[in-house]
Amino acid sequence: MKQCSLDNFMDSLDPWLDNNYIRSVSIDHKGHVTFFFMDGVRDTYEIIDCDRAQVIKACKDLSKRGIPVKEG
């Protein structure tokens, strides 16, 4: 699991969004975000400078781009 700030998290998404590489996103009960990529790889992030509600709000932008976001 990678730890990062919300700003770093959002910046790291840009290359993946431009290439339609993300299959889906899952947010667990602790606010950890897991990306599931088209090639079967998954990557989990703990965003350390905000709470779960802020993480969900940030990930809503992903769902607007057509990426399924599941909350658990």
Side-chain angles (χ1 to χ4, degrees):
M1 180 182 324
K2 300 175 184 177
Q3 292 182 330
C4 62
S5 69
L6 183 59
D7 287 337
N8 289 34
F9 173 75
M10 297 306 288
D11 289 344
S12 71
L13 293 179
D14 287 337
W16 297 332
L17 294 173
D18 291 339
N19 294 317
N20 295 322
Y21 190 52
I22 302 171
R23 181 171 35 103
S24 65
V25 177
S26 176
I27 305 167
D28 73 9
H29 67 281
K30 293 182 180 179
H32 299 155
V33 181
T34 302
F35 288 92
F36 299 90
F37 298 99
M38 295 297 186
D39 63 359
V41 173
R42 76 170 83 172
D43 217 355
T44 301
Y45 289 84
E46 178 182 12
I47 303 168
I48 57 175
D49 64 346
C50 61
D51 62 17
R52 185 176 186 271
Q54 291 169 304
V55 170
I56 291 170
K57 184 178 178 183
C59 289
K60 293 279 184 197
D61 290 335
L62 298 173
S63 64
K64 289 178 186 175
R65 291 176 163 256
I67 299 169
V69 177
K70 299 177 226 168
E71 295 176 39

